[in-house]
Amino acid sequence: MDRETRVFAESHFRGLEGRLPSRVCPKLDRVDFIEKPDSFSYADFFKGYLLPNLPCVFSSAFTEDWGSRRLWVTPSGKPNFDYLLQNYGDVVVPVANCGVQEYNSNPKEHMALRDYISYWKEYIQGNYSSSRGCLYLKDWHLCRDFSTEGVFTLPIYFSSDWLNEYWDALDVDDYRFVYMGPTGTWSPFHADIFRSFSWSVNICGRKKWFFFPPGQEDALRDRHGGLPYDVTSPSLLDSRLHPMRDGCSPPLEVTQEAGEMVFVPSGWHHQVHNLEDTISINHNWVNGCNLANMWHFLQQELRAVQQEVIEWRDAMPDWHHHCQVIMKSCSGINFEEFYHFLKIIAERRLLLLAKGMSPGQAEGGEDTGLGPQQAAFDISRIAEVLESVVVHPDFQRVDTSTFSPRPEVLLRQLKEAVAATTSL
């Protein structure tokens, strides 16, 4: 990030005056297509799509040098089952049954990749039908268990990725996934975890996306307040079931071709269908541009938990603590872990500035794609959100006596850094 982009970004957030970034977006009638890598900079993406929280599609030219596009795909453009079996056949992968609705998702099972590919081949031979249902390999953590050198290269546009930076620091988990499945597999209507951004590249095959800007999903709720499972279902047209449906604009539709890369903004609900046998690589990510959205989402999640167990508030000792425990089991994170997430990213940015490192260099010489302007911007965003966190009544009930540094101390350090970097 250069200084001009940082100044632009900080002005953008001042102009929001406390409104959520995801709720401020212009009405679109199409999704932009970015054709040439050599004429599209990080600053172009940051200003044109990341800050305003708008989707876009990158052409296959952006991924043409990825090894997976060569090795995982046959000359005819189909999944290279032989290569996948030879290199990953014994890996146990999660598989969803698209033909079975379980709440607003699909039930999952685990099987060896070789067994899934065997099913996939039989499914194709059976004219894309099977008594086992329509099975979709989803959320395979390839990067967690294997080196991805030669598989793909993280695009510079998505390099400020706090979510995976945090989990990599803990060496526990990640939010990098491989999806693969036959024609007809699909993902039901949803918004991405923690209101993260995501990007998705088709290694082979084609996808159909249905996008709804933040807030539009509310008009799709049924008379009980529930979100739809399938936005292509004819039942959505029944005004008795969906009384607010007429208030929803038509979705933005995108057909993603092989090699193309889709940027999914924060808080945009979407539904995705595989139009052909398809393999994709997908990442979820959070950074300073959608951090406030993540914090707002976590507050909503806690309120939902509290509402579910409100009747035990007076009878249950440590009711507020139990709500945090339930929240973490349901959402994967609670207020305590959110603070630790902020702390780790903040400390890494403060260290980068303190050492006066050149752009892209962190401790140990690691190439992070970060420079001092990006670090200064990140610190300003963490400071703004942490200031809201420390005064939140439910966070104040969290035992922070063992936190190092204490939240108030970290906030003071961040504010001092913000002041010191004003002229950077």
Side-chain angles (χ1 to χ4, degrees), residues 336 339-340 343 395 398-408:
E336 177 178 348
Y339 171 73
H340 289 298
K343 183 196 82 163
F395 183 76
V398 174
D399 181 7
T400 62
S401 60
T402 60
F403 290 9
S404 179
R406 298 288 292 273
E408 298 80 6

Side-chain angles (χ1 to χ4, degrees), residues 362-395:
E363 189 174 21
E366 176 189 2
D367 185 357
T368 64
L370 291 171
Q373 297 294 340
Q374 180 77 57
F377 169 73
D378 291 353
I379 286 170
S380 70
R381 299 303 306 138
I382 299 170
E384 181 177 310
V385 170
L386 183 56
E387 190 165 26
S388 173
V389 172
V390 297
V391 299
H392 193 284
D394 286 295
F395 183 76

